[in-house]
Amino acid sequence: MASSIAFAPQHPPIRILIGKVGLDGHDRGAKYVAHILRDAGYEVIYTGIRRAPEEIAEAAVQEDVSVVGLSFLSGAHIALFRRVIEQLRRRCAGQVVLVGGGTIPPDDVRTLKSMGVAEVFTPGTSARTIVDRIGQLLDNRQVA
Amino acid sequence: MNVDVEALIREAGTAGPGRIRAAARLMTIAEGGSGAAVNVLGKLAGAPEPRLVLGLTGSPGSGKSSLVDRLLQHCRAENPDSHIGVIAVDPSSPYSNGAFLGDRVRMMRHAGDPNIFIRSAATRGHIGGLAAGVFGMLKVMGLAGCDMVLIETVGVGQMEIEIESLADLVLIVLAPGQGDAMQFQKAGLMEAGDVFVVNKGDCAGAAEFHAQLMASLRLIDHDRKQRGPDAVRLVSAREDHGIAELLDYLERLRDTEAARWLARRRTRLGTHLRAAVLELAQRRLEAEWSGLAESDPVERVLRGETALADLAGELLRRAVLDNT
């Protein structure tokens, strides 16, 4: 059993960007998810609130993240996700795994998934479910 | 993972739309610390170097990221053609290996600026204030055209001064409330600074703190860093006070100290070379060791056939000779 301090360089941690776009400033959910992902061994780049889609996309590219997770309470999730996806593609980073979270109605969840958002976590989703599902999405991506 | 490193290096060195993404990929590989990282570093020999590498260090919460944000703002306003890189280090968890990299939050206003490249790095078990991959990231920043790079260390205590081995100039960022003159007398961090920036100048106690620090440093007439009174600055990143003056001072230093910095870069290269030799030796030793299953050297020491020191020499020779 290796010491908990020792880091296994053959498996560098996976990097995830967590942020909020648009004008709502409710960041408890985003911070909570950032925290549980940190505890699950991910390196979480946190952007804070009220970011423009261009800023999120540019940060995702510079940080070379595998996953971008966006949290919403504003209701503008479809329009904002669409712009983030467009900005990522413009920067040749369309292959990043996208996940969303927040108060998002079931119909919109379907719309987001049809746009390419891999998973949407609505209120009440457990930490375990979020971590497991993101792990699964990353595994699928590696197989594909 | 099969990545065409040479294609990435070509792309990162040009002005195309994929430049940032290619550079970011290279940084990930350099940070990964495996044979692929060594490969990337090897291929970056001769890549352009940043003209100035500025290190910012200090305690958690003293305002390093906010100061970086202001320095970026002023640098870009004064030099519209400049390309600036930022490497911001935050701690990895020793329990989960995960990390919360939050320095970017303070710098997001620059996220839309195509001339600024910000990269967050986690320490990944590295002790000393930096992350193991920072040296490689710095190389890639040079390749991607950054003429200045700011390296922000993890929040440090009194002894993590590794930044001195990468930066031309070390700024120690302090804030009022972080002790009195006794703290300034202490060895370690306070010796490593070229410039002391007392941040949060808008907060209570800042002027007194600044005056005490000035007085402490003035006591020393044999200062190995040859710091003058101008090297202690009082600023407020939040209020944008004193930042333009700080930048002017840094630019004056760049003119007067250029020869000394070049000499320092040379010395540092020797340090990095020695570190690289040790790292290589360690990797080869691990390979040699894992191939020793049937003739356990520990057994030979236990039976008294050989002394530990002699065996160490023998193993080192074998590791180096057998794996070339």
Side-chain angles (χ1 to χ4, degrees):
Chain A
M1 171 78 195
S3 131
S4 63
I5 302 289
F7 172 72
Q10 58 270 43
H11 297 298
I14 290 169
R15 293 160 65 85
I16 298 185
L17 183 144
I18 297 289
K20 282 185 65 73
V21 269
L23 294 178
D24 92 81
H26 298 85
D27 58 359
R28 273 188 79 144
K31 282 179 178 158
Y32 173 72
V33 170
H35 199 127
I36 62 171
L37 290 172
R38 185 202 81 183
D39 290 347
Y42 293 99
E43 287 181 0
V44 182
I45 290 103
Y46 184 66
T47 67
I49 56 174
R50 301 198 182 98
R51 301 311 173 195
E54 295 78 7
E55 293 173 346
I56 294 288
E58 190 60 35
V61 170
Q62 293 183 356
E63 301 285 3
D64 193 24
V65 293
S66 305
V67 180
V68 169
L70 300 176
S71 158
F72 297 93
L73 189 75
S74 64
H77 38 266
I78 291 181
L80 290 171
F81 246 125
R82 184 166 286 135
R83 284 177 56 198
V84 170
I85 292 169
E86 185 190 305
Q87 291 294 328
L88 283 169
R89 289 202 179 127
R90 194 172 287 180
R91 290 166 175 78
C92 321
Q95 80 300 338
V96 173
V97 175
L98 290 169
V99 296
T103 49
I104 299 176
D107 278 355
D108 289 357
V109 171
R110 279 188 287 277
T111 308
L112 287 172
K113 286 191 172 175
S114 73
M115 285 160 51
V117 178
E119 192 56 88
V120 177
F121 303 110
T122 50
T125 311
S126 74
R128 177 48 52 205
T129 306
I130 294 173
V131 168
D132 286 350
R133 183 68 184 127
I134 287 178
Q136 257 174 23
L137 291 169
L138 285 164
D139 288 345
N140 294 346
R141 182 203 57 162
Q142 274 148 17
V143 170
Chain B
M1 189 171 58
N2 258 326
V3 185
D4 187 347
V5 167
E6 278 174 32
L8 286 177
I9 289 178
R10 268 197 307 279
E11 202 169 0
T14 57
R19 176 178 68 96
I20 296 294
R21 185 165 170 272
R25 276 282 153 87
L26 287 171
M27 287 185 193
T28 303
I29 300 170
E31 196 183 15
S34 58
V38 176
N39 181 26
V40 164
L41 286 178
K43 290 195 164 69
L44 286 177
E49 299 263 341
R51 207 163 36 86
L52 175 65
V53 179
L54 211 58
L56 290 96
T57 191
S59 306
S62 48
K64 296 181 292 300
S65 305
S66 303
L67 185 61
V68 168
D69 172 58
R70 286 295 184 196
L71 288 171
L72 288 175
Q73 185 192 349
H74 283 264
C75 282
R76 292 291 293 123
E78 283 179 28
N79 311 296
D81 300 328
S82 59
H83 281 76
I84 308 175
V86 176
I87 303 170
V89 188
D90 265 331
S92 292
S93 165
Y95 307 101
S96 73
N97 284 340
F100 181 86
L101 308 176
D103 290 330
R104 215 178 224 289
V105 173
R106 314 285 177 207
M107 310 171 196
M108 280 307 281
R109 76 170 97 192
H110 305 291
D113 184 339
N115 286 22
I116 291 181
F117 189 148
I118 301 171
R119 178 70 174 218
S120 313
T123 53
R124 298 191 178 177
H126 193 81
I127 296 169
L130 295 176
V134 171
F135 180 70
M137 289 181 178
L138 190 57
K139 287 295 229 186
V140 178
M141 290 244 168
L143 173 76
C146 296
D147 28 46
M148 176 159 105
V149 175
L150 309 178
I151 303 177
E152 178 187 338
T153 72
V154 68
V156 302
Q158 297 175 312
M159 264 314 288
E160 298 91 333
I161 55 165
E162 196 185 15
I163 185 66
E164 226 188 348
S165 71
L166 276 187
D168 296 315
L169 195 62
V170 176
L171 274 66
I172 310 276
V173 184
L174 300 151
Q178 291 175 352
D180 61 7
M182 286 302 99
Q183 296 306 324
F184 309 145
Q185 299 286 91
K186 291 185 180 174
L189 188 68
M190 296 302 288
E191 296 173 283
D194 296 287
V195 179
F196 293 88
V197 183
V198 177
N199 189 27
K200 309 194 186 184
D202 53 313
C203 294
E208 294 87 332
F209 188 87
H210 177 244
Q212 282 188 338
L213 182 58
M214 291 275 275
S216 293
L217 291 171
R218 204 172 289 156
L219 289 174
I220 305 163
D221 55 5
H222 57 273
D223 188 355
R224 107 193 145 81
K225 292 263 186 181
Q226 296 160 22
R227 296 170 290 212
D230 280 355
V232 186
R233 321 290 308 187
L234 180 62
V235 310
S236 166
R238 181 165 63 190
E239 304 285 328
D240 196 6
H241 284 158
I243 309 291
E245 293 82 356
L246 169 63
L247 205 56
D248 280 349
Y249 172 66
L250 295 179
E251 271 166 20
R252 281 205 307 275
L253 276 184
R254 190 172 60 201
D255 296 338
T256 57
E257 304 289 290
R260 208 152 64 91
W261 292 355
L262 274 178
R264 262 162 74 170
R265 280 195 184 191
R266 223 188 131 83
T267 311
R268 284 203 304 264
L269 209 54
T271 311
H272 290 306
L273 180 60
R274 294 200 298 277
V277 171
L278 288 179
E279 208 181 295
L280 189 62
Q282 173 149 20
R283 199 166 314 134
R284 293 200 174 161
L285 175 65
E286 295 304 333
E288 179 73 21
W289 186 262
S290 60
L292 284 175
E294 65 275 23
S295 60
D296 187 355
V298 173
E299 199 55 40
R300 284 172 59 196
V301 177
L302 282 176
R303 282 201 300 265
E305 289 171 19
T306 175
L308 190 77
D310 293 336
L311 186 57
E314 185 193 320
L315 277 177
L316 181 63
R317 267 192 307 280
R318 278 168 53 183
V320 171
L321 294 177
D322 294 358
N323 293 292
T324 41

